[in-house]
Amino acid sequence: STQSRSSAASDVYKRQVFFPPALSGEIEMLNTSLLMLNFSPLPDDYAAFLSRSDGLFYDGIELYGCSSHYRESKNYKFPNLLEINQNYAAYNFFKNKLVVGRCSESIIYYDRRGNYYALADRINLRSRKEVENFAAMLALLRRLCEANP
């Protein structure tokens, strides 16, 4: 029925939070900081995403941006890319990689050497899925959400 579809759609919108776009100067500053700390620079497609929304929270999926955001209603600080990646700096596995988000018990990272995005177990770091670009990662995440409503 139309009413149940619109109700389901409104439930989806209640579970997602977009943030204002990052400014080009903020993206450039983040990229400079990442390079100075020996992290992978931002891939172009992820930088383009940040220019539309400086991070995203959707149904348990977090994609980090240039700025951290405090979600008062949840009493939760949504971290930024630099904060998240500093947590992984000591681990050799993360050289030439950039953690861009998380999904439940998995992390989402970009591998500069292999030029791909991966969804990997956050404990053992085994890739569950590797995709060629950020659009493909978004499509994968959408399929995961649809499979687990």
Side-chain angles (χ1 to χ4, degrees):
S1 86
T2 307
Q3 185 176 4
S4 65
R5 260 187 282 151
S6 67
S7 175
S10 70
D11 287 346
V12 166
Y13 291 117
K14 288 177 192 167
R15 297 187 317 232
Q16 68 187 16
V17 176
F18 290 92
F19 298 105
L23 302 173
S24 60
E26 292 172 315
I27 295 170
E28 289 170 20
M29 269 184 33
L30 173 63
N31 222 13
T32 299
S33 298
L34 290 168
L35 288 168
M36 285 175 43
L37 295 168
N38 295 317
F39 293 113
S40 170
L42 286 170
D44 291 341
D45 54 358
Y46 200 80
F49 161 71
L50 295 177
S51 71
R52 290 180 183 88
S53 180
D54 188 21
L56 168 71
F57 179 84
Y58 175 76
D59 203 22
I61 296 167
E62 295 181 356
L63 297 173
Y64 308 117
C66 295
S67 303
S68 54
H69 304 278
Y70 182 67
R71 297 192 58 212
E72 195 169 325
S73 64
K74 303 284 184 190
N75 194 24
Y76 173 67
K77 181 183 172 213
F78 190 83
N80 67 40
L81 279 162
L82 203 52
E83 291 168 333
I84 286 297
N85 281 280
Q86 286 175 328
N87 293 336
Y88 296 100
Y91 302 98
N92 197 43
F93 176 83
F94 288 99
K95 293 224 183 302
N96 295 302
K97 294 179 178 70
L98 183 68
V99 175
V100 297
R102 72 175 196 85
C103 173
S104 186
E105 294 300 312
S106 298
I107 59 170
I108 304 162
Y109 66 84
Y110 171 73
D111 185 306
R112 180 172 66 171
R113 281 210 174 116
N115 193 30
Y116 63 85
Y117 288 84
L119 184 66
D121 183 279
R122 72 176 181 86
I123 304 296
N124 64 26
L125 302 176
R126 283 193 208 115
S127 290
R128 291 177 33 204
K129 188 77 174 164
E130 295 173 0
V131 295
E132 66 278 3
N133 56 42
F134 187 62
M137 179 55 71
L138 288 175
L140 170 65
L141 294 171
R142 187 176 62 227
R143 286 192 305 274
L144 290 173
C145 286
E146 290 168 355
N148 302 304

